[in-house]
Amino acid sequence: MRILQQSHGFAGFERAFEQAQQSKRDVLFSMVTPIDSVDPLQFYESGFKLYQGERSFWQDRNKDLVLVGVGNAKTFTSNERDHRFMDIKNQWTTFLADAIQVGDKILGTGPLVMGGFSFDPRQEAELEWTNFSHGHFQLPSFMLTNDRQQGSFLTVNIVCTASDNPKKIWDRMQLEKNNLFETFNQQIEDVNVIRTTEIQPDQWKKTLTSVVKRLNKGEMEKVVLARKIKVDFDGKKRSDTVLERLRDDQTNSFIFSLEVLDSCFIGATPERLVNQSNRSILSTCLAGSIERGETIEEDERLSRLLLNDEKNLHEHDLVVKMISQNLRALCSEIEVPNGPALMKIRDIQHLFTPVKGTANNGMTILDFVDRLHPTPALGGTPTHLAMDVIQEEERMNRGFYAAPVGWMDAEGNGEFAVAIRSGLLHDQHAFLYAGCGVVKDSNADSEYQETLIKFRPMLRAVGGTMQ
């Protein structure tokens, strides 16, 4: 990829077209421009009229980096069952080979795709997930980057082909860019909830009890079982309103949105899978949970209970061991704390252990995603046995729930979260997901109650309540 100075804007654009004509291949032109501060949600909303079904959103846990994509310059998809991570990586690397970038390269700007993967490509398809491939990433036509330290930037991405007219394409993109900044402060009419339905809760409890018996026979150590609820509306639910509620409500979570046609996968998850910045690697072990207390005293009592609970500590330790082992395979060194701390969010608190590492040369964010997914926190232990049990017993397609969602740039940097506390907006419905770690002393009723707590953030965000 060639990087030019900001002053070379249209000249770089023409050069990209010349390369496309000479090579008979598509060539990416990407231009980064510093801009005044813009509210990310306003920018997201402004893309609705022209780019409905082609928007994406990412905000990290500390709000240090916010990315908003509108428009879809190019889509990268994979339905490979065994090699979807590397398939996406290879598609992205090949596409960038002849790219021309104009402007300074700041982390989180320039050529960058947002998207994610399905939890398990072996699961049978369900209607609500038909718009999504097992790997789905979008290169935005326009991307807003808000960086707490560096400021705000706009990246414009144009895929140049040999048959296009450079001047017409350039003028059209300038017009669309101006329209994005002129359509702020729209009035969004929200829709009403008709009903909220739990999908076979009694059957789920029976399944969990059956899995506990298998665990006590020694077939495996842990299985994560998930379930879903369905919320029906009297019209199509816009992701804008859900994002706004998640941003205001879930202040210590990764917040994400990925629109694909008339569907949107959206959520606010506390769990990082992996972050890569050059060779610096950070992963998060998050497993074992308990509710929050209504008073400070009760909350502290529950915290102590969680930190001393054998079932939750065992569940957490399984995740720490797996993530540490897999990071060692790709890192020259790693750093693991001696014991877990607590991560407290609005409705729930988790056992939490950060693991840091230094990546081996040549490793990219997708190499780590490939190695780490699924963690025992969302699949189980041993992984292959737990995944088989999930496929046999859950009787649903998780889609992107509990799977990696995030972003990656042209240098292989990026960040992926584990998409828990999430749901799918599809037509006039929302499908919300929650799960729990099942070990040999798990109880169906208590695990069911845990899932009710985990449903709360997304239920509030879509305007629903549990009957």
Side-chain angles (χ1 to χ4, degrees):
M1 184 175 67
R2 187 179 303 173
I3 301 179
L4 305 177
Q5 295 179 358
Q6 180 65 48
S7 58
H8 293 168
F10 186 68
F13 184 61
E14 288 186 309
R15 186 174 300 178
F17 271 101
E18 291 172 3
Q19 283 191 196
Q21 290 173 334
Q22 293 169 4
S23 64
K24 309 298 182 186
R25 294 187 301 180
D26 293 351
V27 174
L28 173 65
F29 171 79
S30 185
M31 183 168 67
V32 180
T33 306
I35 60 172
D36 293 333
S37 179
V38 174
D39 185 314
L41 277 183
Q42 284 192 335
F43 189 78
Y44 185 88
E45 291 169 5
S46 72
F48 177 79
K49 186 175 181 181
L50 287 176
Y51 299 110
Q52 182 180 358
E54 296 183 342
R55 298 180 296 170
S56 47
F57 186 97
W58 172 268
Q59 177 179 294
D60 67 20
R61 285 194 66 227
N62 300 320
K63 303 182 185 65
D64 291 329
L65 180 67
V66 185
L67 305 172
V68 186
V70 296
N72 191 1
K74 188 173 178 63
T75 303
F76 301 85
T77 64
S78 177
N79 279 316
E80 290 274 347
R81 282 185 51 163
D82 299 321
H83 306 290
R84 57 206 166 114
F85 303 103
M86 292 304 101
D87 186 22
I88 293 291
K89 175 184 174 180
N90 293 336
Q91 288 183 44
W92 181 230
T93 303
T94 301
F95 176 72
L96 292 170
D98 298 322
I100 291 178
Q101 180 182 318
V102 172
D104 295 333
K105 182 66 182 80
I106 307 295
L107 187 68
T109 66
L112 181 154
V113 288
M114 289 187 272
F117 298 91
S118 65
F119 178 77
D120 186 350
R122 301 176 304 167
Q123 291 181 329
E124 292 185 16
E126 290 192 64
L127 178 63
E128 61 262 32
W129 288 105
T130 52
N131 289 336
F132 289 78
S133 304
H134 291 303
H136 189 106
F137 287 81
Q138 297 174 174
L139 172 69
S141 299
F142 302 96
M143 184 179 71
L144 170 69
T145 302
N146 276 4
D147 184 288
R148 190 191 295 271
Q149 301 297 326
Q150 302 284 347
S152 297
F153 301 86
L154 181 70
T155 300
V156 178
N157 294 306
I158 305 174
V159 179
C160 304
T161 64
S163 60
D164 287 333
N165 182 308
K167 184 66 167 62
K168 286 184 178 180
I169 299 295
W170 180 267
D171 290 345
R172 189 196 75 205
M173 294 298 284
Q174 296 304 312
L175 179 62
E176 291 181 4
K177 180 179 72 174
N178 292 337
N179 287 339
L180 281 174
F181 288 95
E182 290 173 357
T183 54
F184 286 163
N185 301 318
Q186 299 179 49
Q187 206 55 29
I188 301 176
E189 220 173 288
D190 205 357
V191 295
N192 299 308
V193 173
I194 298 174
R195 71 183 65 86
T196 301
T197 307
E198 293 191 69
I199 308 298
Q200 298 182 322
D202 293 334
Q203 178 59 51
W204 186 82
K205 290 181 184 179
K206 291 177 182 177
T207 297
L208 191 145
T209 301
S210 174
V211 170
V212 168
K213 290 178 181 178
R214 296 178 65 174
L215 290 165
N216 278 289
K217 290 179 182 178
E219 292 184 32
M220 61 220 90
E221 289 185 79
K222 173 187 173 183
V223 176
V224 179
L225 287 181
R227 66 189 191 95
K228 68 180 176 181
I229 59 178
K230 183 183 179 185
V231 183
D232 299 312
F233 308 99
D234 61 4
K236 183 172 172 57
K237 184 74 173 178
R238 280 183 58 169
S239 59
D240 313 62
T241 61
V242 181
L243 268 181
E244 185 172 3
R245 288 176 180 171
L246 289 175
R247 186 178 71 166
D248 294 342
D249 196 34
Q250 301 298 312
T251 55
N252 296 312
S253 294
F254 295 93
I255 298 175
F256 61 87
S257 169
L258 179 65
E259 289 188 338
V260 182
L261 300 175
D262 63 347
S263 299
C264 181
F265 183 56
I266 191 167
T269 174
E271 185 167 359
R272 174 188 291 109
L273 181 64
V274 62
N275 173 287
Q276 179 167 355
S277 178
N278 298 317
R279 292 183 63 198
S280 295
I281 300 298
L282 173 62
S283 185
T284 297
C285 308
L286 200 71
S289 57
I290 201 168
E291 63 186 319
R292 297 297 304 271
E294 294 185 4
T295 65
I296 294 176
E297 292 76 14
E298 184 186 10
D299 198 59
E300 290 178 350
R301 180 185 64 79
L302 290 169
S303 297
R304 290 192 298 272
L305 188 64
L306 178 60
L307 285 168
N308 292 281
D309 182 77
E310 290 187 10
K311 182 256 186 188
N312 281 291
L313 288 170
H314 174 64
E315 183 182 339
H316 186 80
D317 188 54
L318 292 175
V319 179
V320 174
K321 286 179 178 177
M322 179 273 192
I323 287 181
S324 301
Q325 179 181 351
N326 280 287
L327 287 186
R328 284 191 180 94
L330 302 179
C331 292
S332 58
E333 57 183 49
I334 70 165
E335 179 184 330
V336 186
N338 291 327
L342 288 174
M343 178 186 291
K344 298 190 177 192
I345 53 180
R346 176 169 172 173
D347 298 292
I348 197 167
Q349 47 190 316
H350 298 277
L351 294 175
F352 160 73
T353 299
V355 182
K356 298 178 180 180
T358 301
N360 294 330
N361 289 326
M363 294 294 102
T364 70
I365 187 72
L366 284 190
D367 291 296
F368 286 93
V369 172
D370 187 9
R371 189 83 186 192
L372 291 173
H373 175 74
T375 72
L378 280 308
T381 309
T383 300
H384 67 287
L385 294 178
M387 294 290 278
D388 288 344
V389 172
I390 291 169
Q391 187 180 11
E392 295 165 11
E393 301 282 2
E394 269 191 2
R395 297 181 177 89
M396 73 172 188
N397 187 336
R398 293 188 181 188
F400 278 34
Y401 166 72
V405 60
W407 63 273
M408 59 179 172
D409 68 11
E411 284 73 41
N413 298 309
E415 184 160 47
F416 280 79
V418 181
I420 54 176
R421 317 292 188 270
S422 60
L424 180 73
L425 305 178
H426 178 73
D427 197 19
Q428 295 183 199
H429 315 285
F431 299 88
L432 311 182
Y433 302 83
C436 56
V438 182
V439 292
K440 61 184 179 180
D441 56 351
S442 291
N443 173 271
D445 288 329
S446 62
E447 301 294 355
Y448 171 79
Q449 291 299 320
E450 182 177 317
T451 62
L452 293 180
I453 296 171
K454 292 175 176 177
F455 277 127
R456 287 178 189 169
M458 288 304 300
L459 264 176
R460 280 198 301 266
V462 301
T465 57
M466 194 71 78
Q467 299 299 325

